[in-house]
Amino acid sequence: MSEIVALARLLITRSRTALTLAIAYMLVIHISAALFSVGVFSDGDVGGQLALKRTATMIVVMFSLPLLGITFALFDFSERADVSGGATGYLPWLLRMPVKTWKLAAVPLGLKTLWTLAICGAIAMTARFFGTPLERWFMPAIGIATLFVLACVITWHPFRWSYTRAFLIGILFVPAYAWLIVSVSFAFADKRSDLPSDTTSIAAAWIVGLSAYTALTLLALRAVRLARFHVAGRISESAGWLATADPLPSVGADATSEASFLRPARVSPIAALVRFEASKFAGTGAKIIVAGWLLIVLFFSLFSYAGTDSLVFLVVALLFPGIFMNEWKNYGLQQRFLPNTLAVAPIATTTLVWTQQLIATAIWFASLLGVPIVFAIWSFNGASAPLIRAWQRAIGPQFETPDADWKLTLVAAVIGVLLVLRQTTWNIAAQSTESKRFVYWTIAAKFAVAFFAFSWFLYQFLRFPDWEAWTLWAWQCIAQLPTLLPWLAIVKGILVVTATTMLYRSGLTRRRTVVGLLVGYLVCTFATAAVVWQWMPSDRVLLWHCLTAAAVLMPYSRIVLAPLCLAHSRHA
């Protein structure tokens, strides 16, 4: 077997689960799009079909973005990269194998590029099937693949200083994002678009794109060559930026120092864990993320006109600092969810995992705090006036209460808080298993449910000729929701009883803690339901509707079962 084939098989094996899910997801996207086109575009009504086809093409592109996003992790010989360290992210045992350097670099880059070409080619075929072929797709695919090559360069290259990699990620994020936007835009560039589409501009784009791809590929080859001789990231050949690292500090401690005879401070396990996690935020990576959060808030605060799309983009943009900060906290300074220091520490498993859930939730809320801050600035300078008027026009005709729009805004905020709690607690519970396959399959299951729900919603939306007809249908569907609440409550009750029983029988915590969790869940459910019911501007919404919905949305099982997930990986 040739070395290239062996490396390719190893890469596919390492990404087998994620690759299988990605291929199935891609097939579902394009088959659903084909069936949708047959059902909607063949009814003989030619009016507005071109706009619908273009909309369907953009939806296919949007649903394909996760496939491009996971390419950073597919076909890669990297472990979880320590962004705060200088060592290479390439697998050390492969660097010691008698395999040529160019093969170690070319095989991962080649598979990533082929995967990107497959995704973009599938989008182009589906767009042609719709009758709206893309102007070009190969060059945008190469432009997108260039970003994956850049990621490999940063991951594989060893650095002298510890935080060089984190600094480069922060510096290159904005140019890389702009490169992505330009690459995707070139697929739709024509005479009617703002982008230049003449022959000279397209030729220049080809030259720039291929030159960037080639240059970064050569840098990736150089990064692997350096990593083979300097796996720990300490380069001693030159005196430049990648020069000899400073000597490592002495490992041995002065056992006879006066501090070693002092009595240990009496600190509770929770306070010690919080202090330990807070120490991670003093690194350069965390400071870069905070600076990015400030830039996002400042950027959106400068808007003089804010519509619905501006608010949606603001929320989506502020999700990323929370995601990056949690990833930095969990994996930026160690390779595992639970460091060996904590894994062998005499601290209860419940204390470890529940503290992690609490910190992760606090990080997400701190990141999303930018939404009310920016909205307050918009309200002060008048930029939010169009958004408020649009919200009032959508809500006012449905309710007789004059302040219905503000009450529903508060209800939506409560629902958003519950959804954030559900997501953060589930993330920690899933990551604590230390099982990538479990995380992948649970993400795939949740994504599949969301995909089919959104696809059904989108299909219904495109069936109606105008916004008013769709709005009428939407309110009719909302009126039918109370018929589903009892069934959802039954399922939730079964999950609550099962999770409580499993935690009690596991012996990981005391009986009064289990009872306290159950009582706390009931109290939070009743309190949330009472508050939401008071804010509801409609007499048709009854108290039991709010109580059942709050019971379903309130996270409980993922909190109660999290200690069992961590105990399985901690004592395996």
Side-chain angles (χ1 to χ4, degrees):
M1 182 185 298
S2 67
E3 295 174 348
I4 294 179
V5 175
L7 290 173
R9 291 185 61 180
L10 178 60
L11 283 169
I12 294 174
T13 302
R14 285 172 56 87
S15 307
R16 181 172 51 193
T17 302
L19 186 61
T20 302
L21 295 174
I23 293 175
Y25 174 67
M26 184 166 60
L27 291 175
V28 169
I29 289 175
H30 295 284
I31 293 175
S32 301
L35 296 176
F36 173 78
S37 65
V38 172
V40 175
F41 300 148
S42 61
D43 57 358
D45 183 15
V46 296
Q49 280 198 11
L50 181 60
L52 285 177
K53 290 177 180 179
R54 291 183 178 274
T55 303
T57 302
M58 294 302 299
I59 291 171
V60 171
V61 173
M62 181 183 66
F63 276 120
S64 299
L65 292 179
L67 295 173
L68 294 173
I70 66 171
T71 310
F72 287 103
L74 288 179
F75 311 118
D76 200 55
F77 283 137
S78 302
E79 295 177 334
R80 283 197 176 104
D82 183 7
V83 297
S84 65
T88 176
Y90 211 101
L91 289 176
W93 67 270
L94 267 178
L95 296 175
R96 293 191 292 266
M97 296 292 289
V99 182
K100 293 184 177 180
T101 301
W102 72 266
K103 294 180 182 179
L104 293 177
V107 175
L109 299 181
L111 288 179
K112 287 177 180 288
T113 303
L114 290 176
W115 173 253
T116 306
L117 291 174
I119 296 173
C120 296
I123 295 173
M125 291 178 59
T126 302
R128 183 174 295 276
F129 182 78
F130 283 159
T132 57
L134 302 179
E135 295 294 327
R136 58 199 63 85
W137 66 271
F138 189 82
M139 187 59 228
I142 295 298
I144 296 173
T146 304
L147 297 178
F148 304 134
V149 180
L150 175 62
C152 292
V153 172
I154 296 175
T155 304
W156 296 346
H157 203 297
F159 297 102
R160 175 191 179 230
W161 293 325
S162 298
Y163 294 101
T164 303
R165 184 174 289 111
F167 180 76
L168 286 177
I169 292 174
I171 293 297
L172 296 176
F173 178 79
V174 175
Y177 183 75
W179 180 274
L180 174 64
I181 297 299
V182 172
S183 299
V184 175
S185 300
F186 260 101
F188 301 93
D190 53 22
K191 296 180 180 180
R192 295 168 295 182
S193 62
D194 296 331
L195 288 175
S197 58
D198 55 286
T199 305
T200 304
S201 300
I202 297 302
W206 272 94
I207 295 173
V208 172
L210 292 177
S211 300
Y213 182 85
T214 304
L216 288 175
T217 302
L218 294 176
L219 288 177
L221 176 62
R222 180 178 180 271
V224 176
R225 185 181 296 112
L226 286 173
R228 300 196 79 166
F229 297 97
H230 311 283
V231 178
R234 293 183 289 273
I235 299 175
S236 58
E237 296 297 330
S238 64
W241 181 43
L242 302 176
T244 306
D246 297 329
L248 294 176
S250 175
V251 178
D254 187 5
T256 62
S257 61
E258 182 181 355
S260 61
F261 295 100
L262 295 178
R263 292 184 180 181
R266 292 186 178 182
V267 182
S268 66
I270 296 178
L273 284 173
V274 172
R275 185 179 302 175
F276 175 76
E277 297 296 335
S279 65
K280 300 178 182 179
F281 301 142
T284 304
K287 295 177 181 178
I288 292 175
I289 296 172
V290 173
W293 181 88
L294 292 174
L295 288 176
I296 293 173
V297 173
L298 178 62
F299 173 75
F300 281 93
S301 300
L302 298 177
F303 283 17
S304 59
Y305 175 89
T308 306
D309 54 347
S310 303
L311 182 61
V312 172
F313 288 147
L314 171 64
V315 175
V316 173
L318 288 175
L319 290 177
F320 287 97
I323 295 173
F324 291 156
M325 186 66 80
N326 274 299
E327 290 299 315
W328 167 266
K329 180 183 70 68
N330 292 333
Y331 301 114
L333 301 177
Q334 68 264 346
Q335 299 298 322
R336 300 185 56 192
F337 172 80
L338 193 65
N340 294 331
T341 304
L342 295 181
V344 299
I347 303 177
T349 302
T350 53
T351 302
L352 288 172
V353 71
W354 288 340
T355 304
Q356 293 283 354
Q357 288 181 329
L358 179 64
I359 295 174
T361 304
I363 291 174
W364 272 71
F365 281 132
S367 180
L368 291 175
L369 185 62
V371 176
I373 292 176
V374 173
F375 194 84
I377 296 174
W378 286 349
S379 301
F380 179 76
N381 60 18
S384 62
L387 177 62
I388 296 175
R389 286 196 298 266
W391 180 245
Q392 290 175 343
R393 286 195 302 267
I395 299 301
Q398 306 297 330
F399 301 95
E400 298 179 356
T401 308
D403 55 351
D405 51 342
W406 287 107
K407 290 184 176 180
L408 286 182
T409 301
L410 295 175
V411 172
V414 172
I415 295 175
V417 169
L418 293 179
L419 292 178
V420 171
L421 287 173
R422 291 177 61 85
Q423 184 63 29
T424 54
T425 51
W426 177 86
N427 284 344
I428 297 300
Q431 292 174 1
S432 65
T433 61
E434 294 284 357
S435 173
K436 292 183 179 179
R437 180 170 298 181
F438 173 77
V439 175
Y440 288 156
W441 281 108
T442 49
I443 291 177
K446 295 177 67 174
F447 203 88
V449 173
F451 172 78
F452 286 111
F454 184 78
S455 299
W456 177 83
F457 171 82
L458 190 62
Y459 175 77
Q460 299 295 334
F461 177 77
L462 294 177
R463 284 178 56 243
F464 293 95
D466 51 31
W467 175 262
E468 288 74 15
W470 177 84
T471 304
L472 179 61
W473 171 84
W475 285 110
Q476 291 175 352
C477 291
I478 293 175
Q480 300 299 322
L481 286 179
T483 59
L484 299 176
L485 290 178
W487 300 101
L488 295 176
I490 293 174
V491 175
K492 181 70 173 186
I494 295 174
L495 291 176
V496 168
V497 173
T498 303
T500 305
T501 304
M502 292 177 64
L503 179 63
Y504 177 73
R505 291 182 177 179
S506 67
L508 294 174
T509 187
R510 293 172 294 182
R511 179 187 300 178
R512 66 178 184 181
T513 303
V514 178
V515 174
L517 287 172
L518 187 59
V519 172
Y521 166 73
L522 295 176
V523 170
C524 292
T525 299
F526 279 100
T528 304
V531 171
V532 171
W533 184 57
Q534 290 295 326
W535 286 342
M536 271 295 175
S538 175
D539 296 335
R540 293 175 293 181
V541 179
L542 304 179
L543 178 59
W544 75 269
H545 295 161
C546 299
L547 185 62
T548 308
V552 172
L553 291 178
M554 189 71 63
Y556 179 80
S557 302
R558 56 198 71 197
I559 298 176
V560 173
L561 295 179
L564 279 73
C565 297
L566 181 58
H568 175 74
S569 61
R570 188 184 186 187
H571 304 292

